[in-house]
Amino acid sequence: MSTSLKKEFWDRVDDTRIGMLATDTARAIPMSHYADHDANCLWFITARDTDLAKSAQTGAAAEYLVTSKDEHLYARIDGTVQAVTDPAKLDELWNAFAAAWYKDGRKDDDVQLVRMDLKQAEVWLTGGSLSFLYEIAKANVTKQVPDAGEHGTIRF
């Protein structure tokens, strides 16, 4: 795994806001993430009564699937989730998107921070859909396998 793959992964995760988060006891649901490169983790804000929050209380294994809107990143990220009470972190992450879900804002008793500590990620970095179409056309003419971009596994 190249250092550039890890750097490019973080850069593209920063540009991607939504993925599908599942745990071993909670079905996959769409979630917004907040990346913390230094700590090798992702943060999420959810409601205390969700299956995700309940899983996080037990330190459950988790999988987060991310696809960037420009199709430059596809990733399957594995780790564990934990419920965290940290008012300073919540203040740091809080935004208008999170506020829309809670009647009393970040002071709402239903707000739960979830931290996903990353173990590894299988990553595909591509040039996007136009690049992919070009590679398919080229492969059909040259009879060579298309270049689908960089693929590898990052360990955290």
Side-chain angles (χ1 to χ4, degrees), residues 1 3 5 7 31 39 45 52 68 75 78 82 90-91 96 100 105 113 121 129-130 142 144 146 155:
M1 184 274 308
T3 308
L5 181 65
K7 180 189 178 318
M31 293 292 295
I45 300 171
L52 171 60
S68 64
D78 299 314
Q82 61 181 308
L90 184 59
D91 286 344
L113 265 179
S129 57
L130 288 179
T142 65
Q144 295 178 359
R155 301 203 193 307

Side-chain angles (χ1 to χ4, degrees), residues 13-150:
V13 163
D14 282 341
D15 292 338
T16 305
R17 296 296 348 138
I18 303 288
M20 294 293 288
L21 179 61
T23 71
D24 53 2
T25 59
R27 73 188 190 292
I29 56 172
M31 293 292 295
S32 292
H33 63 267
Y34 307 90
D36 186 339
H37 307 208
D38 296 332
N40 287 321
C41 74
L42 298 173
W43 290 92
F44 303 91
I45 300 171
T46 192
R48 288 189 193 283
D49 64 348
T50 62
D51 290 339
L52 171 60
K54 292 172 187 170
S55 289
Q57 294 292 339
T58 67
E63 180 177 74
Y64 190 51
L65 303 174
V66 178
T67 302
S68 64
K69 69 180 178 181
D70 60 9
E71 299 176 339
H72 286 128
L73 169 69
Y74 299 91
R76 189 196 77 243
I77 307 166
D78 299 314
T80 56
V81 290
Q82 61 181 308
V84 175
T85 302
D86 183 341
K89 188 57 148 176
L90 184 59
D91 286 344
E92 176 189 328
L93 301 177
W94 196 259
N95 58 51
F97 297 103
W101 295 97
Y102 302 96
K103 180 179 72 169
D104 295 325
R106 66 180 167 269
K107 303 292 185 205
D108 195 305
D109 290 337
D110 200 31
V111 173
Q112 178 64 65
L113 265 179
V114 173
R115 175 183 168 137
M116 181 178 179
D117 291 302
L118 309 185
K119 291 185 178 177
Q120 71 177 24
E122 187 172 8
V123 177
W124 293 264
L125 304 176
T126 74
S129 57
L130 288 179
S131 174
F132 179 73
L133 290 175
Y134 169 77
E135 287 295 327
I136 294 299
K138 185 175 89 173
N140 279 294
V141 170
T142 65
K143 304 300 181 205
Q144 295 178 359
V145 176
D147 178 2
E150 191 172 357

